[in-house]
Amino acid sequence: MARIDLVDLAHSYGGNDAAPESFALKPVTMTWRQGGAYALLGPSGCGKTTLLNLISGIVTPSRGKILFDGADITPLSTQKRNIAQVFQFPVIYDTMTVGQNLAFPLKNRGVPKAEVDARVRQIADLLDLTPHLGRKATRLTADAKQKISLGRGLVRSDVAAILFDEPLTVIDPELKWQLRSKLKALHRELDLTMIYVTHDQTEALTFADTVVVMHDGRVVQSGTPAELFDRPEHTFVGYFIGSPGMNIVPAEVRGREARISGHPIALQRSYDALPPGAKIEVGVRPEFVDVAAPAPGLLSANIERIDDLGRVRFARVRIGDTKFAARVPSGFSVSGDTAGLVFDPSHVHVYADSRLVEGTA
Ligand code: ATP
């Protein structure tokens, strides 16, 4: 397994002379540590597969370099990069048994038989495939076939990284849960660098210790699930991660105060040097705003509906024309069409042109 460095890496399918904004992957420099579990998360078309294909060598970058353990592998073919890949749909040999399928990537590289047998047993065991080892793959369900694909990806211990491109798409929802946790356990046990592409935040957050969020060809934040939740560095991360997503509302900010629709909200930090002319917004997760009875000191909102999610209730409200979500404290009964909103200042963030502003203590 390897540490992976992306150095000023960028790609345009229209060639290097294309307008910078049209690049499918805008320049990115970052390091993925050896043995880490990474998820590339973002909506369709944001550039996840492009980045994965640049790492695997399926696509050659318009600009920049990729290093594996410090060595520049950018000119190398996919075969020479020594990586394993698992795709959306099963890639297996129907005529072989499950065991033969799992053994294939090892036999192909001349690994001694005893080692092949031991590794196949270990991987089959981890994926609950042991009872099927002697069966022909052709008779298995789509779920089982995809498990074999996962196994074939995981079976080599000498790979620089394993790349997963939405590997659970064809899996039955019930089994998805199991496999997701299983992959996490496999990562711990096998100590491999894994990169997992998905548009599903639950999949990303349960699998990865570092989630790389992409938006419009850019890496907008890379961090632990907790960091993405607590401190979104871009409004897109706030909105995309969490359910409901973060509230992002236009505001005027001066010093330790934000004004939303003219109403003052206290901030924990001071914002004195906001970039002139920037679009200023305040972001706060619904979990950190409580609805209360309307009161003179509180920002007033119109209640549209209450979503009862069992363990927590969220009020969907409007502040003027802006949609907003807030927590309904347990025991609080909503009456009437209006409510007051109580903000937790330590979780109110300020954004200038969609980027988080630090503020001063
Ligand atoms: P999805 O989840 O839908 O696969 P994605 O996040 O993986 O989306 P990419 O497939 O990397 O995104 O696509 C990024 C952009 O590059 C999109 O605008 C897409 O249309 C474009 N693109 C992808 N592959 C090609 C290609 N072979 N030729 C030209 N444009 C491409």
Side-chain angles (χ1 to χ4, degrees), residues 9-10 47 125 184 223 264 289 343 353:
L9 189 70
D125 208 31
K184 178 111 193 159
V289 187
F343 290 74
D353 287 339

Side-chain angles (χ1 to χ4, degrees), residues 255-256 267-273 357-361:
R256 288 181 191 273
L267 301 170
Q268 200 174 48
R269 295 172 75 82
S270 183
Y271 300 85
D272 297 308
V357 183
E358 274 290 338
T360 48

Side-chain angles (χ1 to χ4, degrees), residues 13 24 43-50 166:
Y13 291 98
S44 181
C46 72
K48 308 179 293 291
T49 303
T50 300
E166 308 246 9

Side-chain angles (χ1 to χ4, degrees), residues 115-185:
E115 220 176 287
V116 174
D117 290 347
R119 187 71 174 178
V120 166
R121 268 201 306 277
Q122 182 194 14
I123 296 296
D125 208 31
L126 290 167
L127 285 168
D128 303 326
L129 284 170
T130 308
H132 306 301
L133 275 175
R135 288 180 66 181
K136 278 269 193 311
T138 186
R139 298 207 199 96
L140 299 175
T141 61
D143 288 349
K145 284 184 180 177
Q146 187 62 348
K147 269 200 198 179
I148 302 170
S149 269
L150 286 168
R152 283 166 53 93
L154 294 161
V155 79
R156 286 176 58 205
S157 54
D158 63 337
V159 288
I162 307 181
L163 313 182
F164 300 91
D165 195 352
E166 308 246 9
L168 303 183
T169 307
V170 295
I171 302 280
D172 174 73
E174 179 63 24
L175 189 64
K176 237 183 209 181
W177 276 100
Q178 290 174 26
L179 274 182
R180 223 162 32 211
S181 335
K182 191 139 269 185
L183 270 179
K184 178 111 193 159

Side-chain angles (χ1 to χ4, degrees), residues 206-277:
T206 42
F207 168 74
D209 26 69
T210 304
V211 179
V212 179
V213 184
M214 297 188 68
H215 171 53
D216 192 21
R218 278 198 179 81
V219 171
V220 284
Q221 187 168 359
S222 168
T224 62
E227 284 164 350
L228 300 178
F229 186 83
D230 291 337
R231 239 178 134 265
E233 286 171 7
H234 192 283
T235 50
F236 176 77
V237 177
Y239 151 85
F240 195 67
I241 306 265
S243 184
M246 187 182 231
N247 297 296
I248 316 277
V249 288
E252 289 160 34
V253 172
R254 197 164 301 153
R256 288 181 191 273
E257 188 180 273
R259 284 187 171 263
I260 299 175
S261 296
H263 184 94
I265 303 290
L267 301 170
Q268 200 174 48
R269 295 172 75 82
S270 183
Y271 300 85
D272 297 308
L274 291 170

